[in-house]
């Protein structure tokens, strides 16, 4: 059987890759009927919504609140940072929705960069994302899964090598599940979305229970910490950042700026994932309507969830301990209902992170396929299914059982295992954020250039220009701050960009 290509034609009838001298986004002649193309677009608004929510509600909301809290002077300021992070992500999502609806091609940001800046920029993005950003992100999620399992199975911290082993096993399992076929991946994404929203819902409900219990009986044991009703939410108090106590009344304005940027950075990492619907834009039915709707719905759900969850954290936990607590969700549940509730939430957090790994495997697989079709990677990475099944049947009218990009998934598996074995949570987190935002900002700058360069381009969705301009300005400040305060990670990123640029120049000759 000939493998059915997810973009809309069989592999035996795939159009030849566009020569480098042709514009990337020019409409290619189709070798399949319009009916066939429509039938192979499997993603609906609901699927895109599930992927976005699954990606964003992962380890971020369960791991980064401590980083945000430790870099702001009050809980009220922390909540404002979460709102700012959500609005900035929404601005970026709206900008990407315009690009995704106007240029619905598989590959998302990679294709936009090529159209605006040329082939080398697209290659750099594909290079950084495939060998660094996505594998590092999946390594982070896998490490959080391992730490969650370790906290359930033992009262003592597990050995470092054992945590890495558990993380590796968890990641390999998720890759195997995602290598069956596309429909299995979509079902997994939707299932994990239920777990993620359930986890967030339980924490929020815990906060409401504490408030109600305090109203009914101010001395109730279910009232959570006393800080939330006895202290001013915007009153300055000392926090702990990287093991150092910050006295906010005595630090300079410049230092405050640095800490606020660090807090915003932590919030933005929690929101990260809003761009991934565009990676599969060519697979979404009616992208002009479906993509913007999916992004808007997902951002509303995620922003509201993150704000309510953080309010619940401040209700359930003592404020002087939150900034140094890397397991706030577990501690919040345990403080209200005891250790069994903490174990339950630990399991749910692990499942939520597994959902993020699932969606990341899905998106990096499609990104690798698009890069291979553009000759950025060897051609076999664009093949789908397993070799023994591709030649088993010549009936091209039947969708194969194994249609996932297996070779692309294997590449992601190998690279991610290297990061799991050699990396740490905080180092990978900083590196991922810096690398992502370089390309986020570059892409939105490209959107502004495209509006001026190609005003005739059909844009089913066009947000106010205030949104992309705001995104570019604030995003640039985040990048500058990260470069100044994380020279090692910025140096590694610069090195990868230089190597990628050299490879891109050589391959174009």
């Amino acid at each position: 059987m000939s493998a059915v290509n997810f973009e809309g034609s069989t592999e035996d009838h795939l159009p030849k890759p566009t020569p480098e001298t042709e514009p990337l986004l020019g409409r290619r002649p189709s070798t399949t009927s319009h009916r066939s193309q429509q039938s192979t677009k499997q993603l609906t608004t609901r699927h895109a919504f599930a992927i976005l929510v699954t990606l964003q509600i992962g380890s971020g909301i369960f791991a980064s609140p401590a980083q945000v809290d430790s870099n702001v002077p009050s809980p009220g300021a922390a909540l404002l940072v979460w709102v700012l992070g959500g609005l900035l992500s929404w601005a970026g999502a709206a900008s990407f929705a315009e690009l995704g609806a106007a240029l619905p091609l598989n590959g998302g940001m990679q294709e936009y960069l090529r159209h605006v800046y040329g082939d080398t920029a697209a290659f750099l993005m594909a290079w950084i994302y495939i060998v660094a950003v996505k594998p590092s992100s999946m390594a982070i999620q896998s490490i959080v899964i391992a730490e969650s399992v370790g906290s359930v199975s033992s009262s003592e911290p597990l050995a470092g090598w054992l945590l890495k082993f558990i993380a590796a096993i968890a990641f390999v399992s998720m890759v195997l599940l995602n290598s069956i076929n596309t429909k299995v991946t979509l079902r997994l994404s939707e299932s994990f979305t239920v777990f993620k929203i359930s986890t967030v819902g339980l924490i929020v409900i815990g906060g409401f229970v504490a408030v109600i219990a305090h109203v009914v009986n101010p001395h109730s044991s279910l009232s959570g910490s006393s800080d939330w009703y006895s202290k001013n939410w915007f009153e300055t108090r000392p926090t702990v950042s990287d093991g150092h106590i910050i006295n906010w009344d005595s630090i300079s304005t410049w230092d405050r700026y640095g800490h606020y940027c660090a807090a915003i950075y932590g919030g933005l990492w929690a929101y990260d994932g809003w761009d991934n619907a565009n990676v599969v834009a060519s697979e979404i039915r009616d992208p002009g309507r479906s993509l913007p709707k999916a992004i808007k719905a997902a951002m509303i759900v995620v922003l509201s969830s993150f704000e309510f969850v953080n309010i619940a954290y401040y209700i359930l936990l003592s404020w002087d301990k939150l900034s140094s607590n890397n397991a706030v969700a577990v501690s919040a549940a345990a403080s209200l209902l005891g250790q069994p509730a903490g174990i339950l939430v630990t399991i749910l957090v692990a499942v939520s992170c597994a959902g993020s790994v699932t969606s990341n495997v899905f998106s990096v697989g499609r990104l690798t396929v698009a890069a291979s079709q553009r000759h950025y990677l060897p051609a076999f990475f664009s093949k789908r299914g397993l070799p023994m099944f591709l030649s088993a049947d010549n009936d091209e009218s039947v969708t194969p059982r194994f249609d996932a990009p297996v070779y692309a998934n294997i590449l992601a598996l190998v690279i991610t295992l290297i990061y799991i074995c050699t990396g740490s949570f905080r180092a990978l987190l900083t590196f991922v954020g810096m690398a992502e935002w370089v390309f986020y900002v570059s892409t939105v700058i490209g959107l502004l250039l495209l509006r001026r360069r190609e005003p005739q381009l059909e844009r089913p969705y066009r947000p106010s220009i205030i949104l992309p301009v705001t995104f570019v300005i604030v995003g640039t400040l985040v990048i500058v701050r990260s470069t100044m305060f994380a020279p090692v990670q910025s140096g590694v990123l610069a090195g990868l960009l230089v190597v990628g640029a050299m490879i891109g120049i050589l391959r174009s000759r």
Side-chain angles (χ1 to χ4, degrees):
M1 171 165 34
S2 177
V4 175
N5 184 289
F6 197 62
E7 282 76 13
S9 62
T10 63
E11 281 192 2
D12 291 343
H13 296 84
L14 267 174
K16 298 298 182 183
T18 307
E20 297 301 329
T21 56
E22 297 181 18
L24 171 70
L25 298 175
R27 298 296 179 183
R28 299 181 225 171
S30 174
T31 58
T32 57
S33 66
H34 177 75
R35 178 180 178 183
S36 174
Q37 291 177 356
Q38 292 298 321
S39 65
T40 55
K41 289 190 175 185
Q42 301 183 43
L43 295 183
T44 63
T45 302
R46 177 167 54 92
H47 292 142
F49 166 81
I51 290 173
L52 283 171
V53 173
T54 302
L55 275 169
Q56 291 182 89
I57 304 181
S59 62
I61 189 56
F62 309 121
S64 63
Q67 180 177 348
V68 175
D69 180 78
S70 64
N71 286 286
V72 294
S74 67
L79 296 178
L80 292 177
V81 165
W82 283 101
V83 172
L84 177 60
L87 294 177
L88 182 60
S89 299
W90 200 334
S95 301
F96 272 57
E98 175 181 335
L99 288 169
L103 310 170
L105 294 176
N106 197 38
M109 188 161 47
Q110 170 186 314
E111 306 293 357
Y112 311 149
L113 290 170
R114 187 179 195 272
H115 186 70
V116 176
Y117 303 109
D119 188 63
T120 300
F123 172 76
L124 281 176
M125 181 267 170
W127 165 261
I128 294 297
Y129 264 63
I130 293 172
V131 304
V133 171
K134 288 297 183 180
S136 295
S137 297
M138 293 185 289
I140 291 172
Q141 303 288 352
S142 302
I143 290 171
V144 173
I145 292 174
E147 291 179 347
S148 300
V149 172
S151 66
V152 172
S153 61
S154 175
S155 58
E156 296 293 330
L158 296 181
W161 69 268
L162 184 55
L163 285 175
K164 289 182 179 293
F165 178 76
I166 295 173
I169 293 298
F171 180 68
V172 170
S173 300
M174 298 311 301
V175 171
L176 291 176
L177 287 174
N178 280 272
S179 296
I180 299 175
N181 64 23
T182 300
K183 290 184 178 180
V184 170
T185 299
L186 296 178
R187 292 193 188 103
L188 283 173
S189 180
E190 292 180 3
S191 300
F192 283 128
T193 300
V194 174
F195 279 99
K196 289 170 178 289
I197 295 178
S198 298
T199 306
V200 170
L202 285 175
I203 297 172
V204 173
I205 290 173
F208 278 117
V209 168
V211 172
I212 294 173
H214 177 73
V215 171
V216 174
N217 179 11
H219 303 289
S220 172
S221 60
L222 298 178
S223 296
S225 170
S226 62
D227 290 343
W228 69 271
Y229 59 82
S230 63
K231 295 182 179 180
N232 184 341
W233 282 61
F234 287 91
E235 181 180 359
T236 300
R237 90 287 193 223
T239 57
V240 179
S241 178
D242 294 329
H244 303 288
I245 298 177
I246 303 173
N247 189 340
W248 291 93
D249 294 325
S250 62
I251 64 175
S252 66
T253 302
W254 175 251
D255 288 337
R256 280 177 175 262
Y257 165 72
H259 285 293
Y260 272 112
C261 286
I264 294 172
Y265 181 75
L268 289 175
W269 177 73
Y271 282 105
D272 190 56
W274 44 262
D275 66 298
N276 280 274
N278 299 74
V279 175
V280 292
S282 67
E283 302 175 14
I284 298 177
R285 301 170 189 168
D286 191 10
R289 295 179 63 254
S290 299
L291 190 59
K293 286 172 61 178
I295 291 177
K296 285 182 178 179
M299 292 308 303
I300 290 173
V301 169
V302 174
L303 194 156
S304 302
S305 298
F306 283 10
E307 194 70 8
F308 281 122
V309 166
N310 278 279
I311 292 173
Y313 287 152
Y314 284 111
I315 290 173
L316 298 173
L317 295 175
S318 174
W319 291 359
D320 61 348
K321 296 180 180 179
L322 197 146
S323 62
S324 58
N325 192 335
N326 291 323
V328 288
V330 176
S331 298
S335 68
L336 183 67
L337 299 174
Q339 188 62 22
I343 294 175
L344 173 62
V345 171
T346 299
I347 296 172
L348 291 175
V349 168
V351 174
S352 297
C353 292
S356 293
V357 172
T358 294
S359 291
N360 269 309
V361 171
F362 179 87
S363 62
V364 75
R366 275 64 192 174
L367 181 61
T368 303
V369 168
S372 177
Q373 291 172 344
R374 289 296 172 196
H375 307 295
Y376 298 160
L377 294 173
F380 68 87
F381 283 116
S382 65
K383 293 185 178 181
R384 298 174 182 270
L386 298 172
M388 66 282 294
F389 293 99
L390 294 179
S391 59
D393 194 341
N394 293 322
D395 185 2
E396 297 180 0
S397 64
V398 180
T399 300
R401 180 178 303 175
F402 300 95
D403 69 342
V406 176
Y407 295 101
N409 288 353
I410 292 174
L411 177 64
L413 173 65
V414 173
I415 298 175
T416 302
L417 288 177
I418 293 174
Y419 283 115
I420 290 175
C421 295
T422 61
S424 64
F425 180 88
R426 291 189 178 273
L428 291 172
L429 175 60
T430 301
F431 177 67
V432 167
M434 291 172 58
E436 285 180 326
W437 278 84
V438 166
F439 291 104
Y440 287 162
V441 172
S442 299
T443 302
V444 178
I445 291 175
L447 164 66
L448 298 174
L449 294 175
L450 205 60
R451 283 191 180 187
R452 185 176 182 84
R453 183 192 304 171
E454 300 183 28
Q456 77 285 354
L457 181 66
E458 182 181 356
R459 294 173 172 84
Y461 175 70
R462 183 185 175 114
S464 168
I465 196 170
I466 296 175
L467 295 180
V469 169
T470 301
F471 182 87
V472 169
I473 293 174
V474 179
T476 301
L477 294 176
V478 171
I479 295 171
V480 172
R481 187 271 169 195
S482 300
T483 302
M484 294 172 59
F485 288 87
V488 174
Q489 288 87 336
S490 62
V492 172
L493 176 59
L496 286 174
L497 288 171
V498 170
V499 172
M502 293 175 61
I503 296 175
I505 293 172
L506 291 175
R507 61 170 291 277
S508 64
R509 290 181 177 179

